[in-house]
Amino acid sequence: MVGELRITMSHVIGGLIGLMILGVIAVVGFTVAYQGKIYPGVSADGLYLGGLSRTAAEQALATQAAQYVGEKLSVNYNHTSLTIPIKSLAVSYSNVGVMAALDYGRQGSFAAQVRDRLRALFGRSATFADYSYNDAALEPSVNTVDAAVVSPVANASLGFANDQVTVQPSQAGQRLDDGLLIKAVESQLATMGAQPITAPVYLITPSISADTLEAVRSQAEGYVTGPLTITANGATQSVSQSQILSWVDPTTATNQTDLPLNPLTSFYPQLNSAPGVNLTLDPTKVGEYVAALAGSIDQPAQNAVLSWQNNAPVVTQASHPGLSLDQTKATQVIMTALNQAGASRTLTLPTAATPATVNETDLPSLGINTLISSGNTTFPGSSAARITNVTVGAAKFNNVLLSPGQEFSFGQLLGPVGPAQGYLPGLVILGNEETDQYGGGLCQVATTAFRAALLAGLPINERSNHSYAVSFYTAPYGVPGVDATIYYPQVDLKFTNDTGHYILIQTSISGDSLTFNFYGTKTKTGVIIPPHFIYGTTNAAQASETQFQRQVLNLSGQVIKTDTFTQYYQPSTDFPIVQTSNGA
């Protein structure tokens, strides 16, 4: 028995050795047969390359790629399809995939090589891919599909019709899975495939269903037992039940626990149930209603109108307090009434008087105690129409009060310019010509205000000179430069009251002379160093460039700032008069 067993084992061992020898012979023969060739079962970029040399494989891949880029991909969605020309994606295939296919079974440890060759010998496939494409070129197609398949998710909602609360059903939403679509396209490109792609979409479930709102319908009905009647400042308006219901927000009441749910659901079934809904009044929505209501109730306070008389400011028109709705308290009043069952639905909202900033009781605090600057221009020879426009325009700035830190905007303070305001047509420079416009001559007013601001030492924020040198604005310097044009809103004159006190502006006309006086607290002085020509002459028909400086001095006479103003003037002949004007 023992001898027989030994003979059997020796046969087995001999057989195994024989099989190993045969395997080695087969692998060696397989290796020799595919010397310099890609092993069977190996593909690159979707193209089968088994048995091909590197050169043949590269040629085959190039041929296949050239043919493939002329094909198209199709993405199916909503019973239609989008065609994507593969050429538009700038797809390119390198020889890296061929090299990887050729290296298969020839790289790594001896055992790994034997394993890979045996896999190839017995038909186990291996695939490689190396390609690139312009992902930005794919984005418009993805966006097109996304826009077509998307549908909004809508929670169930409350409504009010036929004197009762209604529940509008929910609607599931749909979105395109952009990432999966891009991966599907890339999968086709990696294998030079052109199989139709079904756009991957996913559904979005509403968080609030009709059933959950039905469960709280009675609570909603409590908010809308009737309309609200609201009174503020003697005016009454009604808030409809539908509007009240729009202030009610349904929010999900989720069940949360730190413990695993599965062992507990048999004991606490509610943990497995759909989340409920809580109804609450949204204070933001109520506040938005109150803010809109305040717009019709609030009345701004009117400052006292001042004038400079006998070296002091006097009140020429009394101030009037304003009125404002207390929006915070009003919101609370409405919220309280709606949240309390049986509460009165007739509400009076709180208002408060707001005093005028400038009133009869605080004139000394304004700091208007002296003349701080005086700007002047003259307009000899102006037509009656131009004089009218200068007079009407200057009156707009008489008794104007600038608060500390306020920016003066000439155009904003001037307001509309037309026949209704008393203006007449007069010549203005508009574009590359002179033409009739209502208010021609208002630049005389702007230039005078500019000079007063310069002499007060105020910072100039915006100012433009005229397109050509106008004779009215050369005096008293004899050289153009200290002028300001206005064509609001494109062109404006702006400066800031940085004195820390109020400034009262007074305007006056005497003959052909216009004056702007600024009254306030003198904290500094502006000195104009007269303009000079950089080039050109006083002949307005020739181009010229001028420059002047404004020095700002403190009360001790020290220069604390110097501003330089440079102006370029085109020849006046570049601006022909295209229409006969009533003014000059």
Side-chain angles (χ1 to χ4, degrees), residues 30-41:
F30 176 75
T31 302
V32 172
Y34 280 89
Q35 181 68 33
K37 298 178 182 180
I38 298 172
Y39 291 128

Side-chain angles (χ1 to χ4, degrees), residues 285-355:
K285 293 179 179 178
V286 178
E288 289 173 351
Y289 164 79
V290 171
L293 182 64
S296 63
I297 293 176
D298 291 356
Q299 299 174 3
Q302 296 181 6
N303 287 331
V305 177
L306 306 182
S307 177
W308 184 262
Q309 298 177 17
N310 299 321
N311 295 321
V314 296
V315 175
T316 57
Q317 183 175 317
S319 65
H320 292 282
L323 184 73
S324 64
L325 177 66
D326 190 326
Q327 297 187 34
T328 300
K329 290 183 178 179
T331 301
Q332 292 173 347
V333 168
I334 294 173
M335 295 276 292
T336 300
L338 292 176
N339 279 314
Q340 290 181 352
S344 173
R345 292 196 165 243
T346 300
L347 310 176
T348 300
L349 301 185
T351 58
T354 54

Side-chain angles (χ1 to χ4, degrees), residues 13 15 125 127 135 141 200 208 222 227 258 263 277 323-324 398 456 494 508 515 519-520 524 533 570 580:
I13 293 171
S125 62
T127 60
D135 54 355
S141 298
I208 299 176
D258 293 331
V277 168
L323 184 73
S324 64
N398 192 41
K494 294 180 179 180
S508 61
T515 301
Y519 297 94
K524 52 188 174 179
F533 284 106
Q570 296 175 243
T580 302

